[in-house]
């Protein structure tokens, strides 16, 4: 049974971004600081009051307090800030605030915030940091811990993002026009993808937080998939990919906290509902004639998730998919994964040869882990030990 502080922490992570998006929708981008203060003050009030007794409906408590604080601010400052005319009248202020916090409007507000966070004038690292802060409700310390960065770097990224967001004003919280939407949607999907993959494959020991981040990334992508403006095959493909990966989350680590290989995972721990959801979205993604990297990655993940066992995977088809993926994304991760699949078909020697032929891989932790494993399978134990030692050195550097 979860303790009250665990319930509180999970609820804060789930709701803070949704609350903030709704307050910003009401007060405007220029009042970002005010919106953050309202949500933060509410969370602090909850911490102080809930330690004695949890309310019957904690979520409703948070929303009620945030709405009241927002109305108080509007009444006190309405002559000093630009607000909707409906918020300036005592007759309509209550109904407008209630509307902004309805389930449908909350999802639309988050959609607006996603596009605002991915404005083209913001660099990708700043976009991701801003999304994690505003939509995921993470602190600077939590962001730096999950992504193994330092707090100073994260603080600088957030400062740049916040200043740009406030400067954009009303433009910031509008969904882009039709001609700009496809390009901005690419940025939104890329941010969601990076947040999910960095959380899923992170070396951070914050497993609960990482699982929450993966779930929230799926939730945000589902909002895109359900909205008529953004629903598209590439959105479905990314959603399928994340569902397939997330279905194996609980099977990836054993009781000792050690990462398990695909073959070592207990399939009884796989989430069959997420696998089915992934399959459904993958089927929906096949409409149209556009094939994206998300489609290919989703098909690779489907080969793993839908197979009856590791032995029954069609490795030749998987290798072909990785060759197609390299045309879109020739990253170190894709090459390392291709080497793993190649070893299943041609053996460890061929996979080692492929990896050694790649350039600029020596500082990659997973490159050395994969080579260590492949050399061990090939019976070259001295080389295996050396690469595992090199991987250990890289882990130490990351932790420092």
């Amino acid at each position: 049974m979860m303790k009250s502080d665990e319930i509180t922490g999970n609820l804060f992570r789930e709701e803070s971004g949704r609350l903030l998006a709704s307050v910003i929708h009401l007060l405007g981008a220029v009042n970002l600081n005010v919106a953050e203060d309202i949500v933060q003050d509410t969370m602090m009030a909850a911490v102080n009051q809930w330690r004695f007794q949890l309310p019957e409906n904690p979520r409703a408590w948070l929303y009620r307090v945030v709405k009241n604080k927002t109305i108080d601010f509007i009444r006190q400052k309405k002559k000093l800030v630009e607000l909707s005319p409906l918020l300036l009248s005592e007759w309509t202020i209550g109904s407008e605030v209630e509307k902004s916090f309805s389930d449908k409007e909350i999802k639309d507000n988050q959609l607006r915030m996603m596009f605002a966070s991915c404005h083209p004038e913001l660099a990708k690292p700043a976009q991701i940091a801003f999304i994690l802060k505003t939509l995921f409700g993470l602190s600077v310390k939590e962001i730096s811990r999950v992504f193994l960065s330092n707090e100073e770097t994260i603080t600088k990224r957030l400062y740049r993002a916040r200043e740009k967001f406030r400067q954009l004003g009303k433009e910031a919280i509008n969904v882009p026009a039709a001609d700009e939407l496809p390009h901005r949607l690419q940025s939104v999907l890329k941010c969601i993808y990076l947040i999910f993959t960095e959380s899923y494959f992170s070396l951070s020991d914050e497993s609960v937080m990482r699982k929450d981040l993966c779930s929230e990334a799926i939730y945000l992508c589902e909002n895109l998939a359900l909205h008529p403006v953004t629903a598209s095959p590439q959105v479905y493909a990314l959603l399928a990919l994340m569902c397939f990966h997330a279905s194996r989350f609980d099977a990836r680590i054993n009781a000792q906290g050690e990462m398990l290989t695909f073959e070592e995972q207990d399939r009884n721990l796989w989430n069959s509902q997420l696998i089915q959801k992934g399959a459904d979205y993958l089927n929906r993604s096949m409409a149209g004639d556009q094939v994206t990297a998300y489609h290919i990655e989703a098909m690779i993940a489907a080969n793993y998730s839908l197979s009856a066992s590791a032995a029954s995977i069609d490795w030749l088809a998987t290798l072909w998919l990785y060759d197609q993926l390299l045309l879109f994304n020739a990253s170190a991760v894709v090459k390392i994964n291709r080497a793993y699949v190649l070893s299943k078909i041609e053996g460890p020697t061929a996979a080692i040869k492929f990896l050694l032929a790649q350039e600029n891989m020596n500082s990659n932790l997973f490159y050395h882990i994969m080579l260590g494993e492949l050399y061990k399978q090939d019976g070259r134990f001295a080389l295996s030990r050396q690469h595992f030692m090199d991987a250990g050195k890289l882990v130490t550097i990351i932790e420092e």
Side-chain angles (χ1 to χ4, degrees):
M1 186 174 179
M2 293 182 69
K3 299 178 181 178
S4 61
D5 57 343
E6 292 177 311
I7 296 173
T8 301
N10 290 341
L11 184 66
F12 286 0
R13 277 192 290 270
E14 289 173 3
E15 300 298 341
S16 61
R18 298 166 197 177
L19 289 165
L20 183 61
S22 294
V23 178
I24 290 173
H25 176 60
L26 288 166
L27 302 184
V30 69
N31 288 307
L32 172 62
N33 290 344
V34 174
E36 289 179 327
D37 287 344
I38 287 173
V39 174
Q40 186 63 33
D41 289 348
T42 300
M43 298 302 178
M44 291 304 299
V47 169
N48 292 331
Q49 295 185 36
W50 294 3
R51 69 176 119 182
F52 303 109
Q53 183 178 358
L54 278 174
E56 184 176 339
N57 188 334
R59 182 180 184 274
W61 189 99
L62 290 176
Y63 277 72
R64 182 176 66 254
V65 174
V66 167
K67 284 186 283 188
N68 289 339
K69 286 180 178 292
T70 303
I71 290 173
D72 288 343
F73 172 81
I74 292 170
R75 284 174 172 159
Q76 294 169 14
K77 304 290 185 180
K78 60 185 178 183
K79 293 182 179 180
L80 303 177
V81 295
E82 293 185 13
L83 298 171
S84 162
L86 292 174
L87 292 173
L88 300 178
S89 169
E90 286 295 326
W91 294 98
T92 54
I93 183 174
S95 60
E96 282 300 296
V97 171
E98 283 293 334
K99 177 184 175 183
S100 187
F101 286 91
S102 66
D103 287 342
K104 179 187 180 302
E105 197 67 20
I106 286 171
K107 292 180 179 180
D108 286 347
N109 291 337
Q110 286 189 290
L111 182 68
R112 296 183 186 102
M113 281 298 297
M114 275 193 281
F115 280 102
S117 303
C118 294
H119 195 279
E121 293 187 31
L122 283 176
K124 188 66 66 180
Q127 291 176 1
I128 294 173
F130 193 58
I131 286 178
L132 287 172
K133 185 71 169 65
T134 58
L135 288 177
F136 289 69
L138 268 63
S139 66
V140 171
K141 184 176 182 180
E142 287 173 327
I143 297 171
S144 63
R145 217 162 49 211
V146 171
F147 295 102
L148 301 172
S149 184
N150 60 69
E151 293 183 37
E152 182 181 359
T153 297
I154 298 300
T155 299
K156 289 179 180 177
R157 290 176 184 173
L158 283 172
Y159 176 79
R160 289 192 291 268
R162 288 162 56 82
E163 288 303 300
K164 176 55 64 177
F165 182 78
R166 294 178 63 198
Q167 290 169 14
L168 290 170
K170 292 182 179 179
E171 178 194 341
I173 54 176
N174 292 329
V175 175
D179 58 341
E180 187 187 347
L181 182 64
H183 176 72
R184 190 82 73 86
L185 180 60
Q186 293 295 329
S187 294
V188 170
L189 294 178
K190 184 66 172 178
C191 276
I192 292 175
Y193 172 81
L194 290 174
I195 288 168
F196 180 89
T197 53
E198 290 292 332
S199 303
Y200 188 81
F201 296 107
S202 173
L203 294 175
S204 166
D205 59 1
E206 296 287 340
S207 59
V208 174
M209 187 193 303
R210 288 190 290 110
K211 188 173 183 180
D212 285 349
L213 287 175
C214 289
S215 297
E216 191 67 12
I218 291 174
Y219 170 81
L220 291 175
C221 198
E222 282 185 308
N223 284 352
L224 292 171
L226 293 171
H227 199 285
V229 174
T230 52
S232 63
Q234 62 179 333
V235 173
Y236 301 145
L238 175 57
L239 191 48
L241 165 64
M242 293 192 295
C243 286
F244 284 133
H245 279 312
S247 70
R248 302 196 296 271
F249 200 102
D250 291 333
R252 297 173 66 238
I253 299 176
N254 63 17
Q256 290 72 46
E258 300 168 333
M259 189 75 73
L260 299 177
T261 65
F262 176 74
E263 290 87 347
E264 294 170 335
Q265 292 176 16
D266 181 356
R267 287 171 173 255
N268 292 321
L269 297 177
W270 289 7
N271 188 317
S272 59
Q273 290 182 328
L274 277 176
I275 291 174
Q276 184 58 54
K277 181 183 283 191
D280 292 341
Y281 276 115
L282 181 57
N283 287 334
R284 293 175 67 180
S285 76
M286 297 304 175
D289 54 5
Q290 182 186 26
V291 177
T292 67
Y294 301 130
H295 285 85
I296 298 173
E297 287 196 56
M299 286 187 277
I300 292 171
N303 276 357
Y304 291 117
S305 299
L306 299 175
S307 61
S309 65
S312 65
I313 293 174
D314 188 338
W315 293 110
L316 281 172
T318 305
L319 183 65
W320 181 84
L321 287 170
Y322 269 112
D323 286 338
Q324 304 311 304
L325 184 58
L326 282 171
L327 301 176
F328 290 90
N329 177 16
S331 68
V333 172
V334 174
K335 292 174 181 177
I336 292 166
N337 286 333
R338 184 190 183 277
Y340 168 77
V341 175
L342 182 62
S343 73
K344 298 296 181 183
I345 300 169
E346 299 183 19
T349 303
I352 292 168
K353 182 178 179 180
F354 168 75
L355 277 182
L356 293 179
Q358 309 307 313
E359 297 180 352
N360 303 318
M361 299 275 277
N362 208 46
S363 61
N364 187 290
L365 167 67
F366 297 103
Y367 169 77
H368 290 288
I369 291 175
M370 180 59 70
L371 279 175
E373 184 60 37
L374 291 171
Y375 276 123
K376 183 171 73 172
Q377 293 175 19
D378 209 35
R380 290 185 269 178
F381 299 111
L383 285 170
S384 174
R385 281 194 299 273
Q386 183 59 54
H387 281 285
F388 281 130
M389 289 173 63
D390 290 341
K393 294 174 185 176
L394 289 171
V395 169
T396 301
I397 292 172
I398 291 174
E399 289 177 344
E400 291 175 350

